[in-house]
Amino acid sequence: MHVRNLCLYGWFLCLLPACIVDDKKIAMESLIVQVPLDSAIITKLQTSLKPVIENIIQQELAAYTLDKDVPPFFFKKRQAITIYYLNDFDVEGRVDLYTHIDALVKNSSPKAASLTSNLAFFGEDAMGERALTDLVVMIDDPNKELFALNAAMKSSMHKLNEDYKKTHKNSLYDIAKSERFAYKPHLSLGHLRANYIKALIPDKDLAEQTLVRIKQRILDSVTAELQKLFLTESNVLSMHGINVYDLKTRDYIKRADFAYKFHE
């Protein structure tokens, strides 16, 4: 069996040990291609609901000792819609990736996408006590602009991967893992440590019941607040460009602005 095939992969593993292919060490990373945005609704929602959700957690877990350094739920500061995943990406391919991002951004300008009040928790199969389950809000994409952006990114990366293999003798990234889920435009609002909550409660049935109740109370609170904010704030999203986010450094390593300016 090829030595590289012995590497163990994880869906959101930030940086994998180097593998060996033809006596060449390959450093791999996990990247996310995202469209950053700025929504007053999300900002106001987080401000108003932070104490509400903290109170829900306190009420539901009052009988258990919580680690003050491990919040069971927290909102995300960064607002962005993920367009594509790049799992087990060969770091030597960054320049090629950036060139494709620059080309893609010149022909892209999503303008009609908007927030909905359709919410869900995503990532129940995450491993580890501190694993994060995402609270996501679905995005309405009436003109299929985000779907088109995803399709263009997928097509571009598939071609780049084939060209890369001819030169480097290895894949640029793991396509199967990167496209594990069908694309659905969504925005991650925050994270719930579901496994941590279940680990606090010795009785498994009670733990599951408590977690279900916490999730539902959070969903109800966020849904109500979104619907309230939709009455006074525009739910149309202002998108700025295409960025590449590095899961290890927790920062953007590439920023490219759309040629179209949203407010023009």
Side-chain angles (χ1 to χ4, degrees), residues 19-211:
C19 298
I20 308 293
V21 173
D22 298 331
D23 297 324
K24 168 195 169 187
K25 285 188 176 181
I26 298 175
M28 290 178 289
E29 58 194 350
S30 288
L31 309 175
I32 308 177
V33 181
Q34 296 185 318
V35 176
L37 52 91
D38 182 18
S39 168
I41 285 180
I42 300 302
T43 302
K44 291 183 178 182
L45 178 144
Q46 293 180 347
T47 300
S48 60
L49 285 189
K50 184 175 184 295
V52 173
I53 295 179
E54 287 177 349
N55 187 52
I56 290 172
I57 297 294
Q58 290 172 359
Q59 290 177 358
E60 295 291 347
L61 302 177
Y64 309 96
T65 302
L66 303 180
D67 185 337
K68 61 181 179 60
D69 296 323
V70 186
F73 178 89
F74 60 94
F75 283 112
K76 287 183 63 174
K77 295 180 180 179
R78 181 169 47 89
Q79 298 182 24
I81 297 174
T82 295
I83 296 299
Y84 197 69
Y85 296 98
L86 291 166
N87 287 280
D88 304 343
F89 184 87
D90 185 346
V91 296
E92 290 192 12
R94 278 193 181 188
V95 174
D96 294 323
L97 170 63
Y98 296 166
T99 299
H100 278 247
I101 293 292
D102 287 335
L104 186 61
V105 79
K106 291 179 181 179
N107 300 310
S108 305
S109 55
K111 310 174 191 67
S114 60
L115 289 170
T116 72
S117 56
N118 183 9
L119 302 167
F121 278 102
F122 175 81
E124 286 299 322
D125 57 348
M127 303 296 290
E129 186 175 301
R130 296 194 181 188
L132 303 176
T133 299
D134 274 10
L135 170 63
V136 304
V137 56
M138 305 310 295
I139 304 300
D140 183 24
D141 185 27
N143 299 332
K144 303 300 180 183
E145 295 169 308
L146 294 173
F147 278 99
L149 196 55
N150 167 260
M153 186 71 199
K154 181 188 295 186
S155 175
S156 178
M157 291 309 301
H158 283 200
K159 183 179 184 305
L160 180 57
N161 185 62
E162 290 304 312
D163 293 341
Y164 197 83
K165 286 194 292 186
K166 294 175 184 177
T167 303
H168 295 77
K169 311 304 180 185
N170 63 272
S171 296
L172 176 60
Y173 71 112
D174 189 324
I175 292 178
K177 187 186 299 183
S178 300
E179 298 176 6
R180 177 184 173 190
F181 299 105
Y183 181 68
K184 293 182 179 180
H186 66 274
L187 172 68
S188 178
L189 296 176
H191 298 299
L192 179 71
R193 287 193 168 96
N195 292 349
Y196 171 71
I197 292 173
K198 289 191 287 187
L200 285 171
I201 306 173
D203 186 314
K204 290 185 178 181
D205 290 338
L206 179 59
E208 191 61 39
Q209 293 168 11
T210 302
L211 180 59

Side-chain angles (χ1 to χ4, degrees), residues 41 44-45 224-234:
I41 285 180
K44 291 183 178 182
L45 178 144
E225 187 66 13
L226 279 172
Q227 292 174 345
K228 174 183 174 182
L229 288 168
F230 288 165
L231 298 176
T232 58
E233 301 286 344
S234 172

